[in-house]
Amino acid sequence: MEEELKCPVCGSLFREPIILPCSHNVCLPCARTIAVQTPENEQHLPALLQPRSSAPSAAAAPGPGLGPGPGPAASLDSECAAGGGVDHADKLSLHSETDSGYGSYTPSLKSPNGVRVLPLVPAPPGAAASQRGAGPAGSSLTCPQCHRSASLDQRGLRGFQRNRLLEAIVQRYQQGRVAAAAAKCQLCDRSPPEPAAVLCEQCDVLYCAACQLRCHPARGPFAKHRLVPPPGAPGPPGGSDGGGKGAGGGRKLPTCAEHDLENYSMYCVSCRSPVCYQCLEDGRHGKHDVKALGAVWKQHKAQLSQALNGVSDKAKEAKEFLVQLKNLLQQIQENGLDYEACLVAQCDALVDALTRQKAKLLTKVTKEREHKLKVVWDQINHCTLKLRQSTGLMEYCLEVIKENDPSGFLQISDALIKRVQVSQEQWVKGALEPKVSAEFDLTLDSEPLLQAIHQLDFIQMKCRVPPVPLLQLEKCCTRNNSVTLAWRMPPLTHNPVEGYILELDDGDGGQFREVYVGKETLCTIDGLHFNSTYNARVKAFNSSGVGPYSKTVILQTSDVAWFTFDPSSAHRDIVLSNDNQTATCSSYDDRVVLGTAAFSKGVHYWELHVDRYDNHPDPAFGIARINVVKDMMLGKDDKAWAMYVDNNRSWFMHCNSHTNRTEGGVSKGATVGVLLDLNKHNLTFYINGQQQGPPAFENVEGVFMPALSLNRNVQVTLHTGLEVPQSVKQPKLPSN
């Protein structure tokens, strides 16, 4: 609040503040320092505004002075009284078009506060000496805050109202500062004691902030004590107005500036100033809107309180905003340190990678150098050996030539000549040329890296989609008709990733389709076609959008099917063993068990070995859909296609219909083969390698699983991953 109580000219607390027409305040002594005389061409402006019918004597009236007579700077009301016959255009005064009191000239110099004003102009001859607190009628005053000029009438500065309310607030503020400075903590150990911050009304003790926290905490028995500001401390804004002792809170009511013996009792809405009863009697406010002073006072206090509520809300928002800005400062500081550490780590990682690559390149250079040195040393050793041999042979031949024994010479000459020729032939073309050069055919292409280093810069993290995921080929694999894919994001990636989309084609080079959407980076897709090639790709996404696709990986499913019996879909009477490859039954009734593989494409073959066969049961072998009935023989419903067999012959069955009886049964040790050809859409059975009749079923289409039904009198073991039989034996014809 102290800033509101300081004069904008001198910067000190207000002394005898006056209210300017623009509603700003200024000290009366400061007003004297910035008041200047209006230029001569504007002093006579009102004379130019007189009606043409006026007498010349009216325009040549005595110059303005301190007397009551009308002058060139007279107010609008005075002009109206002097010339009642003038029209509306001639009623303009020097103040402004709206009679606000603002001048119309442009300031040119500077006041002590930096306000631009006009220089002083000598007063006209004959002007009366100015009284204290007044200025010449041709003077003006520029507001130091809004820079608007106000003209002074014959009363000078006394024509401006004195802000007694502001003067009283300044007086209370000064007294409060003195009293607050005098109020000392009564429990302080320091010398001198700290100024008191609060007063406990129950304890009647003054506390400074530290002693209040230590000796008078806001909990326990002290929680209900009332803490108030120390005596003399300035109260909060909008406090009591004096307990109702008049408008001045018990102070002497101010008197009218025009009539010293009259108190203000009314308020002129047009002039926006309080007036007394005598002012109304004078007729100056006869046509103005006048209201009771108390009613307008309460109305304006209510408006001010309402306006203060809005300012209070904005102040609260400003405080919250300041807290937000301070938190932002802390976050910026912390994020700056984090990003500095991240930048250092990234640059260190680049330096480490460059160091490792440098070591690899140096290793290549070392290997190349060692290879060249080895080749040269080998040539040196080989050439030295050959040279030693040739030199020895040459010396020996020279000694032989020196001998004079013809017969002895001829005895060895043929062999010696051959040795010399062979030695000469050993020095073939290129033997005396180096096999390697001294130059290293290694050129380091560092230009792309240098460009990348020069382009190394920060990227905006906001509104960026994720980068391309990297497929981890070492973790991608196929097993049977399922594929497993793994991927990861590139290192030093800061763009957030919310999930991934894995796409797979249909195995025939068709369109891609989504098979997985989630946050995991490892996915297994089951139920694919055997002996098929699939293309897979993955992309990442976040709130900004979907990133680009990764490279496409090609996956080949197994040529032949590897599977076991499925315990999860088998009838509860089925007993599985041998890693779910051997099946028997605990019931004398037929029960169904399915395989773990599902076929919809390709050619597949598997065999079942009969381990036990008692009392001539009728096991059934074939295929079925996933929802086949499992508590009766395979083939008795429309979900299965089967061959059931005894110890002499076999039958094909579908929808409980028997067809094609064929000779050849099973016993302990027999082997039953099942051939499912989904390319030709037929099903064929074999017993001990012999085909049982023509294809048992035609037009077989859909998704099928290997199936078997048996009871407790038989046990079979499944064999999978077998090649399709190349030679098909002719079936036995049924006997008569």
Side-chain angles (χ1 to χ4, degrees):
M1 184 181 70
E2 185 174 351
E3 294 299 323
E4 293 289 333
L5 305 181
K6 290 183 178 180
C7 174
V9 178
C10 61
S12 302
L13 295 178
F14 281 107
R15 296 170 296 165
E16 301 179 70
I18 58 176
I19 305 176
L20 301 180
C22 57
S23 300
H24 292 128
N25 300 280
V26 68
C27 291
L28 180 60
C30 296
R32 297 192 188 101
T33 62
I34 63 175
V36 296
Q37 186 174 352
T38 308
E40 183 179 358
N41 59 343
E42 293 198 14
Q43 283 184 1
H44 303 289
L45 184 60
L48 300 176
L49 298 177
Q50 296 295 329
R52 296 179 181 178
S53 59
S54 301
S57 60
L66 296 179
S75 65
L76 178 61
D77 297 325
S78 300
E79 290 182 12
C80 293
V86 297
D87 55 15
H88 180 69
D90 291 331
K91 293 179 182 179
L92 295 175
S93 69
L94 184 61
H95 293 155
S96 75
E97 295 134 357
T98 58
D99 198 19
S100 61
Y102 302 149
S104 59
Y105 64 89
T106 303
S108 60
L109 296 180
K110 290 186 178 181
S111 70
N113 189 44
V115 181
R116 302 187 67 83
V117 297
L118 284 170
L120 291 172
V121 177
S130 61
Q131 300 177 0
R132 183 182 182 274
S139 299
S140 63
L141 183 68
T142 300
C143 176
Q145 290 184 272
C146 63
H147 306 288
R148 293 178 179 176
S149 298
S151 298
L152 278 64
D153 57 13
Q154 66 274 8
R155 295 174 297 173
L157 295 177
R158 291 188 296 109
F160 298 120
Q161 297 181 15
R162 188 169 176 177
N163 196 338
R164 301 182 184 277
L165 183 63
L166 177 59
E167 191 172 0
I169 294 175
V170 171
Q171 184 178 2
R172 286 205 311 269
Y173 181 78
Q174 290 176 325
Q175 294 174 353
R177 283 202 306 184
V178 174
K184 300 294 183 180
C185 177
Q186 295 176 305
L187 297 179
C188 257
D189 296 333
R190 301 181 183 180
S191 181
E194 292 290 330
V198 293
L199 169 67
C200 178
E201 292 184 339
Q202 283 73 19
C203 302
D204 195 21
V205 176
L206 291 169
Y207 298 94
C208 65
C211 292
Q212 187 263 326
L213 291 176
R214 185 176 68 253
C215 304
H216 199 286
R219 59 181 182 273
F222 299 109
K224 296 183 179 180
H225 287 201
R226 184 164 180 258
L227 300 178
V228 296
S240 173
D241 55 17
K245 297 179 182 180
R251 297 186 301 273
K252 180 181 178 181
L253 294 177
T255 58
C256 179
E258 300 290 338
H259 311 91
D260 296 339
L261 300 179
E262 297 289 340
N263 293 330
Y264 289 121
S265 59
M266 305 297 289
Y267 182 80
C268 180
V269 179
S270 302
C271 299
R272 297 183 180 180
S273 64
V275 294
C276 65
Y277 177 77
Q278 190 66 35
C279 293
L280 299 179
E281 291 292 330
D282 291 346
R284 299 176 59 183
H285 304 276
K287 296 182 180 181
H288 292 180
D289 185 11
V290 180
K291 296 182 179 180
L293 183 65
V296 178
W297 171 58
K298 292 181 180 179
Q299 178 185 358
H300 283 205
K301 285 189 93 174
Q303 292 177 356
L304 180 60
S305 298
Q306 184 177 2
L308 279 177
N309 291 334
V311 176
S312 177
D313 294 339
K314 294 298 180 182
K316 183 179 179 181
E317 293 179 6
K319 290 181 180 179
E320 294 175 353
F321 181 62
L322 285 175
V323 173
Q324 180 182 354
L325 290 179
K326 291 180 180 179
N327 294 335
L328 184 61
L329 283 176
Q330 184 177 0
Q331 291 177 2
I332 291 175
Q333 184 70 15
E334 295 175 356
N335 291 342
L337 295 176
D338 292 342
Y339 270 83
E340 287 179 3
C342 181
L343 176 62
V344 171
Q346 288 178 320
C347 292
D348 290 344
L350 293 176
V351 172
D352 292 341
L354 184 61
T355 302
R356 290 192 297 270
Q357 190 64 24
K358 180 181 73 172
K360 292 180 180 179
L361 296 175
L362 288 176
T363 301
K364 290 183 178 180
V365 174
T366 301
K367 289 182 179 180
E368 182 70 14
R369 181 186 63 195
E370 292 177 352
H371 171 69
K372 287 179 176 291
L373 291 176
K374 183 178 183 301
V375 171
V376 173
W377 276 114
D378 289 344
Q379 277 193 288
I380 291 175
N381 295 333
H382 181 72
C383 186
T384 301
L385 178 61
K386 293 296 182 181
L387 181 60
R388 186 182 302 113
Q389 292 175 353
S390 299
T391 302
L393 180 59
M394 289 173 56
E395 293 176 350
Y396 175 67
C397 291
L398 291 175
E399 293 298 326
V400 170
I401 292 175
K402 292 178 182 179
E403 294 295 330
N404 295 324
D405 183 4
S407 59
F409 179 82
L410 293 175
Q411 285 179 346
I412 63 172
S413 61
D414 291 336
L416 196 57
I417 291 172
K418 290 181 178 180
R419 287 184 59 192
V420 172
Q421 291 175 349
V422 171
S423 177
Q424 183 180 0
E425 291 175 355
Q426 289 180 352
W427 301 98
V428 296
K429 184 178 180 180
L432 297 180
E433 295 179 359
K435 294 183 178 181
V436 296
S437 66
E439 302 296 329
F440 283 74
D441 297 331
L442 299 174
T443 302
L444 182 62
D445 185 12
S446 60
E447 186 63 25
L449 181 59
L450 289 176
Q451 291 181 359
I453 292 176
H454 292 153
Q455 295 174 358
L456 186 64
D457 201 351
F458 295 101
I459 59 175
Q460 294 294 329
M461 301 307 299
K462 296 182 178 179
C463 301
R464 285 189 176 270
V465 298
V468 179
L470 302 178
L471 287 169
Q472 296 182 276
L473 300 180
E474 68 278 4
K475 295 183 180 180
C476 297
C477 62
T478 61
R479 184 180 182 275
N480 251 359
N481 62 336
S482 66
V483 296
T484 299
L485 295 107
W487 59 89
R488 63 179 177 84
M489 296 305 295
L492 305 178
T493 298
H494 300 287
N495 293 345
V497 176
E498 296 181 4
Y500 302 93
I501 300 175
L502 177 62
E503 295 183 357
L504 207 67
D505 67 358
D506 58 358
D508 288 329
Q511 293 183 349
F512 283 89
R513 68 187 191 280
E514 292 183 3
V515 295
Y516 170 75
V517 178
K519 297 182 179 181
E520 299 297 329
T521 57
L522 182 71
C523 180
T524 299
I525 302 99
D526 299 316
L528 302 178
H529 299 307
F530 286 91
N531 194 21
S532 299
T533 302
Y534 288 89
N535 297 306
R537 63 187 183 184
V538 66
K539 57 184 177 181
F541 65 88
N542 58 16
S543 58
S544 299
V546 180
Y549 285 105
S550 67
K551 293 182 178 180
T552 301
V553 61
I554 301 175
L555 300 168
Q556 174 71 41
T557 55
S558 177
D559 294 340
V560 294
W562 297 83
F563 59 91
T564 62
F565 292 120
D566 186 9
S568 62
S569 63
H571 193 278
R572 61 180 178 273
D573 293 337
I574 294 293
V575 179
L576 300 178
S577 60
N578 188 24
D579 294 331
N580 296 331
Q581 297 181 69
T582 300
T584 185
C585 182
S586 62
S587 173
Y588 285 105
D589 297 324
D590 292 314
R591 299 293 186 249
V592 175
V593 59
L594 301 178
T596 56
F599 304 120
S600 60
K601 177 183 175 183
V603 182
H604 310 282
Y605 178 76
W606 61 95
E607 293 181 347
L608 299 109
H609 185 268
V610 180
D611 300 327
R612 180 167 58 87
Y613 189 82
D614 301 331
N615 300 326
H616 308 294
D618 297 331
F621 310 88
I623 59 175
R625 301 194 190 277
I626 187 65
N627 56 347
V628 65
V629 179
K630 298 183 176 65
D631 57 358
M632 61 184 180
M633 180 181 286
L634 191 68
K636 286 193 173 184
D637 63 355
D638 61 345
K639 303 296 190 298
W641 293 256
M643 177 187 72
Y644 75 95
V645 61
D646 59 12
N647 60 338
N648 291 320
R649 56 188 63 87
S650 61
W651 294 265
F652 305 141
M653 186 166 60
H654 173 63
C655 292
N656 203 21
S657 175
H658 305 258
T659 59
N660 295 341
R661 182 171 70 94
T662 307
E663 293 294 330
V666 296
S667 61
K668 181 179 179 181
T671 300
V672 178
V674 182
L675 176 61
L676 176 62
D677 189 347
L678 291 174
N679 295 335
K680 297 181 180 179
H681 306 289
N682 57 39
L683 180 65
T684 306
F685 296 96
Y686 298 85
I687 296 178
N688 296 326
Q690 183 176 356
Q691 183 178 343
Q692 296 300 105
F697 300 100
E698 302 285 348
N699 301 321
V700 178
E701 295 184 359
V703 180
F704 305 97
M705 308 179 75
L708 166 71
S709 69
L710 68 166
N711 58 25
R712 67 183 304 170
N713 293 319
V714 63
Q715 175 180 307
V716 298
T717 298
L718 178 64
H719 297 278
T720 62
L722 305 177
E723 296 290 340
V724 177
Q726 298 297 325
S727 60
V728 179
K729 298 180 181 180
Q730 293 297 324
K732 292 182 180 180
L733 297 177
S735 59
N736 295 328

